[in-house]
Amino acid sequence: MLARVLSGAVQGIDAYSVTVEVDISTAVPMWALVGLPDAAVQESRERVRSAIRNSGFEFPQKRITINLAPADTRKEGPSFDLPIAVGILAASDQVPPDSLSDCLLAGELSLDGSLRPVSGVLSIAIHAKAAGIRRMIVPAANVREAAIVGGLEVYPVSALMEVAELLHNPGSRAPVTEDPHALMPEQPHYRSDFADVKGQAHVKRALEVAAAGGHNVLMIGPPGSGKTMLARRIPTILPPLSVDEALETTKIYSVAGLLPPDTSLLTSRPFRAPHHTLSNAALIGGGSIPRPGEVSLAHNGVLFLDELPEFKRDGLEVLRQPLEDGVVTISRVQASLQYPANFILAAAMNPCVCGYFGDTHRQCTCTPTMVRKYQQKISGPLLDRIDLHVDVPRLAEEELVNYPPSESSAAIRERVCRAREVQQRRFQNLHLHCNAQMSSREIREFCVIGDEVRALLRSAIQQLSLSARAYDRILKVARTIADLGGSEKIAVPHVAEAIQYRSLDRKMWT
């Protein structure tokens, strides 16, 4: 007898349909699994056999042929355990085959028949809804993740026996529903706050500009000046996630298997701070089985690279594509995958090997050659893609001891949100969210400048030897500064401040 069970698999961060076809025939008992299964899928035969027997069902002593269609796409992971087991039960008349016509199943089986959670359920649920599938049966630990999509009847199960009971009697339990809007907090809550940071008013201003326009920022200063402390507080001044952004971020973490238990939706912007010893695949994504890297896990949030020159040079150079396009492309022989990577890059570095080049309190022990070699670990093309370069000097004794209370993150976030609202109205007919995403065409349309501003930019290009990319990024930053000031036009003060954020790298790298 032949049975068909609907399931799904993930490719990149999106899912596609997989039909599990099970045929049981009277012949020498054996098991054949085809359809390009990987090792984890091949091993399902032992898990499924034990789970069926330990759940009180009869395992057919016949020839069992299982096909995972489409057969030309490699299938990975243990999520096919449940549909394979249910397919065997349906083909042997132990569950009604008709109940599987509009139902998608995914889950990993234990030997005792209980179900374990699997990764990528959110992507599979989104695909199931788009494909017009009405019901979905998933492990209980994945149910909230799948129910957040809406438009699906999502049923949680803890064991194979519960699946059989549900298929025999579909009305025996109610589906689980989740409202994504109800899960979004009115005000984000963070343990850290900019009020904790003493001094560094000009750095806070630069980070406010970066948050308002989605710009990348590089902080340069001696050890102990507060670079890491400032970077970790950038998410506290970013606008709250929208429902669409939260779903997209949750989708990435679901595929990567990093979604916290019993979490249906990530409601705060991600902050990723990988160590400089990580591999290129861990930073960008990929591997033998492609997975999202740190740049994709920071999507809609902040990627913080501390001690930037210590990262591998080739890894930093691969950052050029996500910084420019907002996506990462992983090419393999069988397929080419794209992962979203639209993030704010916050980087920090010392000015030299010992960290005290230019410090007013401690003498630098590096030779000029050492300083130059250390700073040249960051290439010019990468620096061009970082909009703001900020000097973070050591705090004076008076600032440390008697500095008055600093402005809170909530107050800064309010200004940032107002600037973002201006940008949303400006880009309402475009697929843009902030000024940093503008292309050359949008820059010409929305960054109109007068003769005085043009003369100032011409002078800056001559004195600082700015590239065409740096020129565009100055205009983007100036547009953001004007938005923060409530100005429709880009004026000389806005451009002057934007140029000041570009001049530090030229002063130090020449």
Side-chain angles (χ1 to χ4, degrees), residues 205-206 209 387-390 477 481 497-503:
R205 168 64 179 178
V209 173
D387 306 337
L388 297 91
H389 310 148
V390 190
V477 174
I481 296 170
E497 183 177 353
I499 293 173
Q500 174 254 323
Y501 293 133
R502 298 296 308 187
S503 62

Side-chain angles (χ1 to χ4, degrees), residues 103-126:
C103 183
L104 186 147
L105 296 91
E108 177 187 346
L109 283 170
S110 297
L111 298 183
D112 60 356
S114 61
L115 281 169
R116 298 177 182 273
V118 293
S119 59
V121 168
L122 178 57
S123 296
I124 296 174
I126 293 173

Side-chain angles (χ1 to χ4, degrees), residues 62-83:
K62 299 180 180 181
R63 179 184 177 89
I64 301 175
T65 304
I66 300 170
N67 178 42
L68 307 178
D72 61 345
T73 305
R74 188 167 183 81
K75 316 303 184 306
E76 301 169 347
S79 62
F80 299 106
D81 288 4
L82 180 59

Side-chain angles (χ1 to χ4, degrees), residues 7-18 104 120-128 251 255:
S7 187
V10 176
Q11 192 171 45
I13 66 166
D14 297 316
Y16 62 96
S17 296
V18 174
L104 186 147
V121 168
L122 178 57
S123 296
I124 296 174
I126 293 173
H127 172 76
K251 189 174 169 182
V255 169

Side-chain angles (χ1 to χ4, degrees), residues 402-418:
N402 295 320
Y403 192 79
S406 182
E407 191 174 27
S408 68
S409 292
I412 302 174
R413 184 171 61 246
E414 185 177 350
R415 295 194 297 269
V416 169
C417 289
R418 285 200 299 265

